[in-house]
């Protein structure tokens, strides 16, 4: 009887979980970020979408001696003392860093929507993902993180410029004892409000069915600054307005980045497959056989020098009849037949398939501790994410372009006796996108966090080789992918050296 009751409870719980409409955000309790610098010159840093921070005008605030300011200041000061437990919980949640928290939210949304489109058995066609339910596979995921990071970064550069243009003193300087550590920068406009508004609108554009939930998170984020004693309402309003103005420009860029054609609704990839210069071509190993993942994602507009990325295109892969290919196949076969526990573990860790926040999301997760340990403020954290995520999206785009040029088969397609330790991605194998993305990520992060370079490069090497361990990639897939990622990472570093941040 007890067993039956337990099953009923578990079944009810599972049904409740499945019925939840909102993604579950549970990244644990994070420590407050204590920045080591304020980056007072941040308003002069080079922007990405804007020509400069001066492109958006933030209106001059009323004087702190005005009656209007005195009233809102008094309300906030008194409100800090009267904050409820629920408000304090929100304050502590967002005090971990608005840039990081919205990145976490983006990762959870990617994981929620990282499910392949359905399959219509009657017609034999893959059902298309509609705008409200996008397929957040690797190319879409990388794009989400890049667009979000760019919106946050440009919004914060504008905010920093206005802060030091108007120099409204922080509330702490005016005697407010805040509930959390507050960065010692001018309070107007609120950087948190700028992050919240830009992040909310950008993610709502990408995940329109989540609009109401995202609005609620943004409202809580902004209100938390009042409850914490970090800003007055006019600070919040100015940050909100500049965030809204900025994100509209980022969304305009997204509308013209050619991603809308990536799903290839007309199946033009089949014509490309027929013309592909390779002797034995990839085919889907899924049952039933499906169209590949976003076959035109290699046509998406890149963030860094597109000419340099084209020049870095991997060489023609070895023919299946060549000695080089046969040697590579033999290596996969040998590993698959005697896979070690460590190889199993590495293959699993870097797999990041459906239902996860994708490989690019994993690297975003790994940045959190680096940013916190370095004591980065919101602006510098946003710069880190913007450099990283643009490089990873470009690496993904370049990988997809190569995949759908050659249509190189996966090892188990050539030799069905090869048993993989993970699911076989529904894409051609050459080049390995996890090698390209991870090498690009580690290259950028090693530049930004030089003390961690050895560890980061080791992680990228492990990520690259993980496909070989799982039996889903050849060594030449990973080696050429890593070369491609390294080139793109260096392009990002070139940009970082010229953006004005010291």
């Amino acid at each position: 009887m007890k067993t039956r009751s337990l099953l009923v409870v578990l079944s009810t719980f599972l049904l409740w979980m499945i019925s939840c409409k909102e993604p579950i955000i549970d990244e644990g309790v994070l420590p407050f970020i204590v920045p080591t610098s304020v980056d007072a010159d941040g308003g002069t840093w080079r922007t990405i979408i804007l020509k400069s921070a001066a492109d958006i005008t933030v209106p001059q605030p009323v004087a702190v001696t005005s009656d209007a300011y005195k009233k809102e200041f008094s309300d906030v000061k008194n409100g800090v003392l009267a904050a409820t437990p629920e408000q304090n919980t929100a304050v502590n949640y967002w005090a971990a860093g608005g840039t990081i928290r919205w990145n976490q939210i983006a990762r959870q949304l990617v994981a929620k929507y990282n499910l392949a489109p359905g399959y219509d058995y009657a017609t034999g066609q893959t059902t298309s993902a509609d705008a409200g339910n996008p397929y957040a596979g690797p190319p879409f995921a990388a794009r989400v993180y890049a667009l979000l990071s760019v919106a946050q970064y440009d919004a914060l550069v504008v905010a920093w410029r206005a802060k030091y243009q108007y120099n409204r003193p922080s509330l702490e300087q005016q005697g407010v004892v805040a509930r959390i550590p507050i960065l010692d920068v001018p309070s107007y406009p609120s950087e948190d409000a700028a992050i919240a508004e830009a992040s909310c609108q950008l993610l709502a554009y990408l995940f329109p069915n989540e609009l109401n939930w995202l609005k609620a998170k943004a409202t809580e984020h902004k209100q938390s600054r009042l409850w914490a004693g970090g800003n007055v309402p006019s600070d919040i309003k100015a940050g909100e307005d500049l965030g809204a103005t900025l994100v509209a420009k980022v969304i305009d860029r997204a509308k013209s980045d050619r991603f809308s054609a990536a799903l290839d609704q007309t199946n033009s990839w089949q014509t490309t497959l027929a013309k592909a210069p390779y002797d034995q071509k990839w085919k889907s190993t899924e049952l039933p056989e499906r169209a590949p993942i976003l076959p035109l994602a290699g046509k998406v507009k890149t963030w860094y020098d597109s000419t340099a990325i084209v020049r870095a295109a991997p060489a023609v892969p070895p023919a299946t009849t060549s000695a080089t290919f046969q040697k590579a196949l033999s290596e996969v076969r040998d590993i698959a037949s005697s896979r070690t526990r460590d190889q199993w573990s590495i293959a699993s860790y870097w797999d990041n398939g459906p239902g996860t926040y994708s490989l690019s999301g994993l690297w975003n997760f790994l940045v959190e501790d680096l940013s916190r340990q370095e004591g980065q403020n919101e602006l510098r954290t946003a710069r880190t994410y913007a450099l990283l995520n643009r490089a990873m999206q470009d690496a993904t785009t370049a990988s997809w372009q190569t995949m759908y040029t050659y249509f190189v088969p996966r090892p188990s397609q050539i030799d069905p006796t090869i048993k993989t330790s993970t699911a076989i991605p529904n894409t051609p194998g050459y080049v390995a996108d996890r090698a390209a993305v991870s090498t690009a990520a580690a290259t950028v992060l090693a530049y930004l966090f030089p003390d961690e370079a050895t560890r980061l490069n080791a992680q990228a090497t492990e990520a690259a080789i993980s496909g070989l361990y799982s039996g889903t990639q050849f060594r030449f897939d990973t080696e050429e992918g890593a070369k491609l990622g390294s080139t793109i990472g260096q392009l990002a570093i070139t940009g970082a050296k010229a953006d004005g941040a010291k």
Side-chain angles (χ1 to χ4, degrees), residues 4 30 32 182 401 408 421 425:
R4 183 177 180 183
L30 298 177
F32 299 150
I182 301 293
Q401 177 63 27
V408 175
S421 65

Side-chain angles (χ1 to χ4, degrees), residues 35 170-172 178-185 191 225 228-231:
S170 68
L171 273 65
E172 191 171 36
R179 290 186 171 275
I180 55 173
I182 301 293
L183 185 65
D184 187 21
V185 295
E191 63 269 33
R225 296 296 294 178
N231 290 105

Side-chain angles (χ1 to χ4, degrees), residues 137-155:
F140 187 91
R143 178 174 178 250
V144 168
Y145 302 131
L147 289 169
L148 175 66
S149 301
V150 166
Q152 292 174 337
Y153 171 75
D154 271 19

